[in-house]
Amino acid sequence: MKTLKYLSGISIALLLTACNTEAPDYQGTWKNTVKDPKLENALVISKNGNNYFITNTITEKETGKSEQKKPMPASVNDKGFLQVNAGAGVVDFAIDEKTGNLIGSGSVYKKAK
């Protein structure tokens, strides 16, 4: 009986630890890895309390002229993904643990230095 209580206690502790996994910090400027000869695309992600704002910036390489889209609110879900409602549906972003790249919306972004 003592063994059963001990194992139950360990199981509960493990479950609580698994639920408290901390989400990565998504803040920063993330440049799209797709090579376009005319445009450069970057996401600027800034923290706003417990949530984030994502601003999509498109820069013309030839002129240096930038266009910033309106900031979109985003939040971290219970799985640690950064979610933004893009109008047509929710888009999930995640940081690849192996590469450190931000992946989402069919693109791969590398953090700018």
Side-chain angles (χ1 to χ4, degrees):
M1 189 68 168
K2 289 182 183 179
T3 305
L4 183 60
K5 286 182 183 179
Y6 178 74
L7 291 175
S8 296
I10 290 175
S11 299
I12 291 172
L14 287 173
L15 284 173
L16 290 174
T17 304
C19 292
N20 289 331
T21 57
E22 192 171 315
D25 185 9
Y26 290 98
Q27 291 184 95
T29 300
W30 299 85
K31 293 189 176 190
N32 197 323
T33 58
V34 172
K35 302 295 181 199
D36 185 323
K38 296 181 181 181
L39 301 173
E40 183 176 275
N41 173 244
L43 297 178
V44 178
I45 302 176
S46 56
K47 193 136 173 123
N48 183 33
N50 290 332
N51 296 308
Y52 292 87
F53 281 117
I54 299 177
T55 305
N56 190 10
T57 304
I58 299 172
T59 305
E60 292 180 21
K61 289 182 178 179
E62 188 175 303
T63 64
K65 182 180 176 183
S66 290
E67 177 187 349
Q68 285 188 339
K69 305 291 183 182
K70 291 181 182 179
M72 303 277 298
S75 59
V76 177
N77 70 9
D78 58 343
K79 295 179 182 176
F81 296 136
L82 184 64
Q83 289 188 319
V84 61
N85 187 339
V90 175
V91 177
D92 288 338
F93 289 91
I95 296 176
D96 184 341
E97 292 178 0
K98 292 181 182 178
T99 64
N101 292 337
L102 180 70
I103 300 173
S105 71
S107 297
V108 177
Y109 299 85
K110 187 173 182 104
K111 195 161 194 175
K113 295 180 182 182

